[in-house]
Amino acid sequence: SRLTHLDAAGNAVMVDVSAKPDTERVATARGRIDMRPDVLDMIVNGDTPKGDVLAVARVAGLMAGKKTSDLIPLCHPIFLSSLRVSLRPEGSGIEIEAIAKTTGPTGVEMEALTAVSVCALTVYDMCKALDRTMRIGDIRVVQKSGGRSGSFVAPGESG
Amino acid sequence: SRLTHLDAAGNAVMVDVSAKPDTERVATARGRIDMRPDVLDMIVNGDTPKGDVLAVARVAGLMAGKKTSDLIPLCHPIFLSSLRVSLRPEGSGIEIEAIAKTTGPTGVEMEALTAVSVCALTVYDMCKALDRTMRIGDIRVVQKSGGRSGSFVAPGESG
Amino acid sequence: SRLTHLDAAGNAVMVDVSAKPDTERVATARGRIDMRPDVLDMIVNGDTPKGDVLAVARVAGLMAGKKTSDLIPLCHPIFLSSLRVSLRPEGSGIEIEAIAKTTGPTGVEMEALTAVSVCALTVYDMCKALDRTMRIGDIRVVQKSGGRSGSFVAPGESG
Amino acid sequence: SRLTHLDAAGNAVMVDVSAKPDTERVATARGRIDMRPDVLDMIVNGDTPKGDVLAVARVAGLMAGKKTSDLIPLCHPIFLSSLRVSLRPEGSGIEIEAIAKTTGPTGVEMEALTAVSVCALTVYDMCKALDRTMRIGDIRVVQKSGGRSGSFVAPGESG
Amino acid sequence: SRLTHLDAAGNAVMVDVSAKPDTERVATARGRIDMRPDVLDMIVNGDTPKGDVLAVARVAGLMAGKKTSDLIPLCHPIFLSSLRVSLRPEGSGIEIEAIAKTTGPTGVEMEALTAVSVCALTVYDMCKALDRTMRIGDIRVVQKSGGRSGSFVAPGESG
Amino acid sequence: SRLTHLDAAGNAVMVDVSAKPDTERVATARGRIDMRPDVLDMIVNGDTPKGDVLAVARVAGLMAGKKTSDLIPLCHPIFLSSLRVSLRPEGSGIEIEAIAKTTGPTGVEMEALTAVSVCALTVYDMCKALDRTMRIGDIRVVQKSGGRSGSFVAPGESG
């Protein structure tokens, strides 16, 4: 088992996927941003127009998911056949989920993870004047299917 | 105290900063990515050429920091006068820090946070074949100076 | 009949096209920019080197067509197999046409419309010092073929 | 009076603005997209969650305004100090307005016009499955101030 | 034999490749950057941390190869299945090689050439404070296979 | 004398320019692309519509110059106040020159060099079906002024 992005001489390469078959691949990533309760209230039902912070963050996540190969040096450009990003309040913050789908030779974890990350950063940006102690975290892949390595459900995650 | 990115009718806007003076602004953000010990070893002193995963991730963080306003819908484009990204092993993962600097009317927290996030995503991408349970987290601003709101050091953070 | 870009909860999503078959799809869009007669003359046969405003605008339209999914949040990234943009003087302005083609699961109207729009904006930019009353309009799809919904020719348009 | 984007030999150039003073510049652009009444209803108060099409289009307009110099070949990159995009139903469609602001040597008409155009294209994209005869038009500058050429209000426009 | 990127009226177009079959295509490009011997030493074994200039340049080349269709107006967007960039000292400078691969209707020479060019520019950027007389050159395709025109090995090149 | 893009630990950084004064800076870069005489003829006066290959390449060079900081990892984003790109036949190929200008704390060599490189790549792309042995080279800075290091004219270059 080796880091596949490095060749024999240790140089970074975008690995050759030309021999891998096209299969349908789905990946789900999650993450969250935590904040002060009053700021969370303000976002969710407060004096801000309902839904707008969440709407802007959702769009930002979608657009960033499409830019993944532009941001992550060794990611292949892919044709995303679907991407959905959702946000919902949970505990002391907002839980973010992105589901990416493609038919191709490479997985879409990075697309889902990038969508979640930029979605969280956008919430941060829109609320930073109110709370300087917000924190983004728990960004991980919770489920993935398709490809040689088969399906994966992270232990302890609801599907 | 209101969400400044929304106007009276609740529409998202890129807020007007034309009346704000240019001041020197610095922001430091941190975050981390955790992984299995054997994968961390492999990155840090293992059988991969030393430093290369870290070098690629550092470059990705720098380049992403410059693209912040392209990713975050309501962020102003700015002239970044400096950006540095560093990674070091700590505990069960890698701690990432980015320091951004500008002279201008808006802060650079988002640039530092974006650099940290994409840096972590790049480590994830390069190691995902080895460990599917990695987790990115603790992304936050630890220090900021300049601008109307004055300096800020997050409680409990070393400067 | 529903807005397909919104899910059951009203959240914007990039719709799933993974079950749609790849077919050849062509779309033609048109639009125009109107201006003062002397400015039109200057562009077309006047004291500017023949063709150069038009040549720059044509290139801008081609390049923008390739960036469509970067600009329009819910557009899928696609492989454009052909794109052509043409401009010709007509009446009090310049008529612009773009024809986009792909083999894939989604249509290419947005690519053709984006190419026309940015082409017109570029003519505007290059002439705005001469005429501040130019106007861009009549941007529409005139013809499309391929895909489940079959062929379409807009009423009253020449093919 | 000459096309300033072309040099003596007729070659396209990005004109030299280094001798122009920094002044505050504001530009307002407007445009519209027309559609079938039932589709307009669906967007505005219909069975789609209120505001979401409009919210996505607004974000797309804001993000595109920031990319103007990336799209229009001879446009200078600028620091936008403010950008706001608004949409409201009017007659048989939606009227779009963008107001851009900068302090610098060049105007911001192109940023406002680009924001309006991409905002309209996004509405088109989200509704194209319902109505294939939508039309984008009347894209123009209605007001501008700052810079050598002084203020301008287009005849017949409300400020 | 004609310039295929121009239509009958001499207008630039992105040529139609929809009738071309998908085949595996590989292209190798090379180029070099020459510099003063002391600067070359400093990069290769000198007082700079080993490999870092080269590592940054390699990443820049990989990322630029993925942006080719964004930079070259008439290039088709493609799915790159592999890209590798390598640098090695040779004579009075650094020899750069990029190998690009795709399965599709168009070749990948431009992707390989763009990767080499931006890789060289990045070395230039990182060393320009030390040597203002560096020179980038000899950028060419040395080998290509796949596609209607068959394989090609440039005369006098080692494969 | 050290490589300024690397910090004490050898990590790549975008160096801090916040203490450098804004000065007017100009840089001129040149390069060339060589080809078979019949292809050169075809471009310059041949059976292709005069000027179009050159016009497309010029636009590509201008647009790439504006993207320099997006391509070169450690380049600062800057406000380019002027950029001009010109091409003229010379000997067995086409000589390309780009002149970039800014008022700011950093130089514009990279912008001029990037414009020249992408301009040459575009000529290559448009003629590659006719000649597979073209070669891009001699890319260098011929003149630069402004900044701490003072003016520079490369030995043996005409200004």
Side-chain angles (χ1 to χ4, degrees):
Chain A
S1 188
R2 299 252 317 160
L3 290 177
T4 49
H5 289 101
L6 302 174
D7 69 13
N11 295 325
V13 298
M14 199 167 80
V15 297
D16 192 346
V17 298
S18 59
K20 296 172 112 181
D22 281 3
T23 58
E24 187 176 279
R25 288 147 183 281
V26 185
T28 303
R30 290 198 192 128
R32 54 184 291 116
I33 174 167
D34 288 284
M35 57 197 65
R36 287 203 327 255
D38 59 312
V39 177
L40 181 56
D41 275 4
M42 217 177 281
I43 295 172
V44 179
N45 13 279
D47 71 274
T48 73
K50 203 191 306 160
D52 217 302
V53 171
L54 304 180
V56 175
R58 211 183 292 122
V59 175
L62 287 173
M63 294 183 85
K66 294 193 277 180
K67 278 189 225 212
T68 301
S69 73
D70 219 41
L71 293 170
I72 312 293
L74 309 183
C75 248
H76 292 81
I78 64 163
F79 170 81
L80 266 183
S81 53
S82 167
L83 182 58
R84 67 180 58 217
V85 177
S86 56
L87 301 95
R88 64 187 165 75
E90 199 197 69
S92 60
I94 291 169
E95 184 83 13
I96 302 166
E97 182 182 88
I99 307 178
K101 206 173 186 177
T102 195
T103 301
T106 61
V108 286
E109 299 99 303
M110 296 317 302
E111 281 71 17
L113 289 163
T114 301
V116 166
S117 299
V118 173
C119 184
L121 289 168
T122 301
V123 173
Y124 194 107
D125 178 49
M126 292 180 77
C127 300
K128 68 181 190 293
L130 300 172
D131 183 354
R132 298 192 284 196
T133 62
M134 289 177 291
R135 192 170 283 245
I136 295 169
D138 273 345
I139 299 174
R140 77 281 185 195
V141 172
V142 297
Q143 203 163 358
K144 107 193 223 345
S145 66
R148 196 175 41 190
S149 60
S151 288
F152 162 77
V153 181
E157 302 279 358
S158 55
Chain B
S1 185
R2 298 253 317 160
L3 290 177
T4 50
H5 290 101
L6 301 174
D7 68 14
N11 296 325
V13 298
M14 198 167 80
V15 297
D16 192 346
V17 298
S18 60
K20 295 172 112 182
D22 281 3
T23 58
E24 187 176 279
R25 287 146 184 281
V26 185
T28 303
R30 289 197 192 127
R32 54 183 292 116
I33 174 165
D34 288 285
M35 57 197 65
R36 287 203 327 258
D38 59 314
V39 177
L40 181 56
D41 274 4
M42 216 177 285
I43 296 172
V44 179
N45 14 278
D47 71 275
T48 72
K50 203 189 306 161
D52 216 302
V53 171
L54 304 180
V56 175
R58 213 184 289 121
V59 174
L62 287 173
M63 292 183 86
K66 293 193 277 181
K67 279 190 223 206
T68 302
S69 72
D70 220 40
L71 293 170
I72 312 294
L74 309 183
C75 249
H76 292 80
I78 64 162
F79 170 81
L80 265 184
S81 54
S82 169
L83 183 58
R84 68 180 56 219
V85 177
S86 56
L87 301 95
R88 65 188 164 73
E90 199 196 69
S92 60
I94 291 170
E95 183 84 13
I96 302 166
E97 181 180 89
I99 308 178
K101 205 172 184 178
T102 196
T103 300
T106 61
V108 285
E109 300 99 303
M110 295 316 302
E111 281 71 16
L113 288 164
T114 301
V116 166
S117 300
V118 173
C119 185
L121 289 167
T122 301
V123 173
Y124 193 106
D125 178 50
M126 293 180 77
C127 300
K128 67 181 190 294
L130 299 172
D131 183 355
R132 297 192 285 197
T133 62
M134 289 179 290
R135 192 169 283 246
I136 295 169
D138 273 346
I139 299 173
R140 78 279 186 197
V141 172
V142 298
Q143 203 164 356
K144 109 192 224 344
S145 65
R148 195 174 43 188
S149 60
S151 288
F152 162 76
V153 181
E157 302 279 357
S158 56
Chain C
S1 186
R2 298 253 317 158
L3 290 178
T4 51
H5 289 101
L6 302 173
D7 69 13
N11 296 326
V13 298
M14 199 167 79
V15 297
D16 192 346
V17 298
S18 60
K20 295 172 112 182
D22 281 3
T23 58
E24 187 176 279
R25 288 147 184 280
V26 185
T28 303
R30 289 199 192 127
R32 54 184 292 117
I33 173 166
D34 288 285
M35 56 197 64
R36 286 204 328 256
D38 58 314
V39 177
L40 181 58
D41 274 3
M42 218 177 283
I43 296 173
V44 180
N45 12 279
D47 71 275
T48 73
K50 203 190 306 160
D52 216 302
V53 171
L54 304 179
V56 174
R58 212 184 289 122
V59 175
L62 287 173
M63 295 183 84
K66 293 193 278 181
K67 279 189 222 207
T68 301
S69 73
D70 219 42
L71 293 171
I72 312 293
L74 310 183
C75 248
H76 292 81
I78 63 162
F79 170 80
L80 264 184
S81 53
S82 168
L83 182 59
R84 67 181 57 220
V85 177
S86 56
L87 301 95
R88 65 187 164 76
E90 199 196 71
S92 60
I94 291 170
E95 184 82 14
I96 303 167
E97 182 182 87
I99 307 178
K101 207 172 183 177
T102 196
T103 300
T106 61
V108 285
E109 300 99 301
M110 295 318 301
E111 281 71 16
L113 288 163
T114 302
V116 166
S117 300
V118 173
C119 185
L121 289 168
T122 301
V123 173
Y124 194 107
D125 178 49
M126 292 179 78
C127 300
K128 68 182 189 294
L130 300 172
D131 183 355
R132 297 193 283 197
T133 61
M134 288 178 291
R135 191 169 283 245
I136 295 170
D138 273 344
I139 299 174
R140 79 277 187 198
V141 172
V142 297
Q143 203 163 359
K144 109 193 225 339
S145 66
R148 196 176 39 191
S149 60
S151 289
F152 163 76
V153 181
E157 302 279 358
S158 56
Chain D
S1 186
R2 298 253 316 158
L3 290 177
T4 50
H5 289 101
L6 301 173
D7 69 13
N11 296 326
V13 298
M14 200 168 79
V15 296
D16 191 347
V17 298
S18 60
K20 296 171 110 181
D22 281 3
T23 59
E24 187 176 279
R25 288 148 184 281
V26 185
T28 304
R30 288 195 194 129
R32 54 184 291 117
I33 174 165
D34 288 284
M35 57 197 64
R36 286 205 326 257
D38 59 313
V39 178
L40 181 58
D41 274 4
M42 218 177 282
I43 296 172
V44 179
N45 12 277
D47 71 275
T48 73
K50 202 189 307 163
D52 217 300
V53 173
L54 304 180
V56 175
R58 212 184 289 121
V59 174
L62 286 173
M63 293 183 86
K66 294 193 277 181
K67 278 190 222 205
T68 301
S69 73
D70 220 39
L71 293 171
I72 312 292
L74 309 183
C75 248
H76 292 80
I78 63 164
F79 170 81
L80 264 184
S81 52
S82 168
L83 183 57
R84 71 179 54 221
V85 177
S86 56
L87 300 94
R88 66 187 165 75
E90 200 197 66
S92 60
I94 292 170
E95 183 84 14
I96 303 166
E97 182 181 88
I99 308 178
K101 206 172 184 179
T102 196
T103 301
T106 61
V108 285
E109 299 99 302
M110 295 317 303
E111 281 70 16
L113 289 164
T114 301
V116 166
S117 300
V118 173
C119 185
L121 289 167
T122 301
V123 173
Y124 193 107
D125 179 50
M126 293 180 77
C127 300
K128 68 181 188 294
L130 299 172
D131 183 356
R132 298 192 283 196
T133 62
M134 288 179 290
R135 192 170 282 245
I136 296 170
D138 273 346
I139 300 173
R140 79 278 185 196
V141 173
V142 298
Q143 204 163 358
K144 110 192 224 342
S145 65
R148 194 176 42 189
S149 60
S151 289
F152 162 77
V153 182
E157 302 279 357
S158 57
Chain E
S1 189
R2 299 253 317 161
L3 291 177
T4 50
H5 289 101
L6 302 174
D7 68 13
N11 296 326
V13 298
M14 200 167 78
V15 296
D16 191 346
V17 297
S18 60
K20 296 172 113 182
D22 281 3
T23 59
E24 188 176 277
R25 288 146 184 280
V26 185
T28 304
R30 289 198 193 127
R32 53 184 292 116
I33 174 166
D34 287 283
M35 55 197 63
R36 287 203 328 256
D38 60 312
V39 177
L40 181 57
D41 274 4
M42 217 177 282
I43 296 172
V44 179
N45 12 280
D47 71 274
T48 73
K50 202 191 307 161
D52 218 300
V53 172
L54 303 180
V56 175
R58 212 183 290 121
V59 174
L62 286 173
M63 295 182 85
K66 293 193 278 181
K67 277 189 225 209
T68 301
S69 73
D70 219 40
L71 293 171
I72 312 293
L74 309 184
C75 250
H76 291 81
I78 63 163
F79 169 80
L80 264 184
S81 53
S82 167
L83 183 57
R84 69 181 54 220
V85 177
S86 56
L87 300 95
R88 66 187 163 75
E90 200 198 68
S92 60
I94 292 169
E95 183 83 12
I96 303 166
E97 182 181 89
I99 307 178
K101 207 172 184 177
T102 196
T103 301
T106 61
V108 285
E109 301 100 300
M110 295 317 301
E111 282 70 16
L113 289 164
T114 301
V116 166
S117 299
V118 173
C119 184
L121 289 168
T122 301
V123 173
Y124 194 107
D125 179 49
M126 293 179 77
C127 300
K128 68 181 189 293
L130 300 172
D131 183 354
R132 297 193 283 198
T133 61
M134 289 179 291
R135 192 171 283 244
I136 295 170
D138 273 344
I139 299 173
R140 78 281 186 195
V141 172
V142 298
Q143 205 163 357
K144 107 194 228 337
S145 65
R148 197 176 37 190
S149 60
S151 289
F152 162 77
V153 181
E157 303 278 358
S158 56
Chain F
S1 186
R2 297 252 319 157
L3 290 178
T4 49
H5 289 101
L6 302 172
D7 69 13
N11 296 325
V13 298
M14 198 168 79
V15 298
D16 192 346
V17 298
S18 60
K20 296 172 109 181
D22 282 2
T23 59
E24 187 176 278
R25 288 147 183 282
V26 185
T28 304
R30 289 196 193 130
R32 54 184 292 116
I33 175 166
D34 288 285
M35 57 198 62
R36 287 203 327 258
D38 59 312
V39 177
L40 181 57
D41 274 4
M42 217 177 282
I43 296 172
V44 179
N45 12 280
D47 71 275
T48 72
K50 204 188 307 164
D52 218 301
V53 172
L54 304 180
V56 175
R58 212 183 290 123
V59 174
L62 286 173
M63 294 183 86
K66 293 193 277 182
K67 277 190 224 205
T68 301
S69 73
D70 220 41
L71 294 170
I72 312 293
L74 309 183
C75 248
H76 293 80
I78 63 162
F79 170 80
L80 264 184
S81 53
S82 167
L83 183 57
R84 70 180 55 218
V85 177
S86 55
L87 300 96
R88 66 188 163 74
E90 198 196 70
S92 61
I94 291 170
E95 183 83 14
I96 303 166
E97 182 182 87
I99 307 178
K101 206 172 184 179
T102 196
T103 300
T106 61
V108 285
E109 300 98 304
M110 294 318 301
E111 281 71 16
L113 288 163
T114 301
V116 166
S117 300
V118 173
C119 183
L121 289 167
T122 301
V123 173
Y124 193 107
D125 178 49
M126 293 179 77
C127 300
K128 68 180 189 295
L130 299 172
D131 183 355
R132 297 192 284 196
T133 62
M134 287 178 290
R135 192 169 282 246
I136 295 169
D138 273 346
I139 299 174
R140 78 279 186 197
V141 173
V142 298
Q143 204 164 356
K144 109 192 224 340
S145 65
R148 196 175 40 188
S149 61
S151 289
F152 162 77
V153 181
E157 302 280 359
S158 55

